[in-house]
Amino acid sequence: METVKNLLRPKPNPQQQLREWQRRLRQECRNIERQIRDVQREEKNVQKAIKDAAKRNDMASAKSLAKEIVRSRRAVNRLYENKAQLNSVSMHLGELVATARTVGHLSKSAEVMKLVNNLMKAPEVAATMQEFSKEMTKAGVIEEMVNDAVDTALDSEDIEEEIEEEVDKVLAALAGETASQLPDAVRKERIKQPSTSADVVEEREAVVEGAEDEDLDEIRERLARVRS
């Protein structure tokens, strides 16, 4: 029945089609904004977990969590870039409206084609933009494009060194903040304390490790969910 209704529904004119695309692009931008807020909210929880790990001198866990923050911030930057390009597509579609009023049909746009092609490579909006690409190709706004592979450079090994640098920055900032919150007497007392033997350190780490692994895994999973 729904299919019959779609067949009987009047075909939108060029201006209506363009405005419908713009409406959907605005909705996609709102979805991106919500995803950014979710990632940033979860990042605050991870920062607290890093501080707690640093206080326990559990630098392995702190560094592991700091890497998650780095990846999340990179994902947020990508989301901001995607949003900017979506807004650019909407702006160019608005320009096509004026042209459509004059010539009575949609004209091809090299700018829209380039932007859509770039967005089709972004994992966060790839599926949505593939659908847009099909509709715009059918309407004659862009030419049919080759479906390039989705860009997964965010997780590739060639950025590992850069991630390490960012991790060190995050840890240094958080460690400095944690140290500044300690009273002077406590900081001096920590300096005076004799170093703990290796056997005692290993025993403490073994006790803490089992208790913390589940919490760390849960934090990683939450970050992965809000980034996806």
Side-chain angles (χ1 to χ4, degrees):
M1 187 65 181
E2 187 65 27
T3 304
V4 174
K5 288 182 180 179
N6 291 335
L7 291 173
L8 296 176
R9 187 176 300 160
K11 185 178 180 180
N13 62 39
Q15 292 93 332
Q16 291 172 334
Q17 180 67 78
L18 289 168
R19 291 193 184 99
E20 173 61 17
W21 286 337
Q22 287 179 310
R23 184 193 66 78
R24 288 162 56 191
L25 288 169
R26 287 194 296 270
Q27 179 61 47
E28 192 63 30
C29 285
R30 286 193 289 270
N31 292 339
I32 288 176
E33 290 170 357
R34 183 169 57 251
Q35 190 172 354
I36 289 172
R37 289 194 298 270
D38 290 342
V39 173
Q40 292 175 336
R41 188 183 305 113
E42 189 61 36
E43 183 179 314
K44 293 180 181 179
N45 295 330
V46 178
Q47 286 178 335
K48 182 180 183 301
I50 291 175
K51 290 179 183 179
D52 292 341
K55 290 175 182 177
R56 298 191 308 269
N57 201 29
D58 183 6
M59 299 312 294
S61 296
K63 190 169 184 178
S64 177
L65 289 170
K67 279 191 176 184
E68 295 300 322
I69 284 186
V70 171
R71 293 187 181 279
S72 292
R73 289 177 180 174
R74 286 177 172 272
V76 166
N77 289 338
R78 288 274 292 269
L79 288 169
Y80 276 122
E81 291 174 5
N82 293 341
K83 181 185 173 184
Q85 292 190 71
L86 288 171
N87 285 327
S88 294
V89 172
S90 182
M91 180 190 70
H92 286 300
L93 290 177
E95 295 171 355
L96 291 178
V97 171
T99 304
R101 289 198 191 102
T102 304
V103 301
H105 61 82
L106 297 176
S107 304
K108 281 186 171 60
S109 172
E111 291 84 1
V112 171
M113 182 173 178
K114 180 179 179 181
L115 289 165
V116 171
N117 189 41
N118 288 339
L119 287 164
M120 285 174 63
K121 299 176 185 177
E124 299 85 358
V125 294
T128 299
M129 296 316 299
Q130 286 171 5
E131 186 64 28
F132 267 101
S133 175
K134 292 177 183 177
E135 295 178 12
M136 291 180 178
T137 300
K138 186 176 180 180
V141 174
I142 62 177
E143 296 177 355
E144 187 173 359
M145 293 180 289
V146 177
N147 188 12
D148 294 332
V150 173
D151 184 6
T152 57
L154 185 66
D155 297 317
S156 61
E157 294 181 359
D158 59 346
I159 65 167
E160 191 64 29
E161 183 177 346
E162 188 176 350
I163 285 181
E164 289 293 335
E165 293 176 1
E166 291 296 328
V167 165
D168 291 339
K169 291 178 184 177
V170 171
L171 289 178
L174 291 173
E177 182 180 342
T178 301
S180 67
Q181 293 173 349
L182 295 174
D184 289 339
V186 174
R187 287 201 297 270
K188 291 177 181 178
E189 184 64 25
R190 287 192 171 188
I191 294 174
K192 292 178 181 179
Q193 286 178 353
S195 59
T196 308
S197 68
D199 291 340
V200 174
V201 170
E202 288 179 3
E203 182 179 351
R204 288 178 180 174
E205 289 179 348
V207 171
V208 172
E209 184 178 356
E212 298 298 330
D213 279 349
E214 291 186 5
D215 291 339
L216 295 178
D217 289 341
E218 182 181 351
I219 290 172
R220 293 191 189 99
E221 288 176 4
R222 289 205 305 268
L223 268 176
R225 282 199 300 271
V226 297
R227 286 202 303 257
S228 61

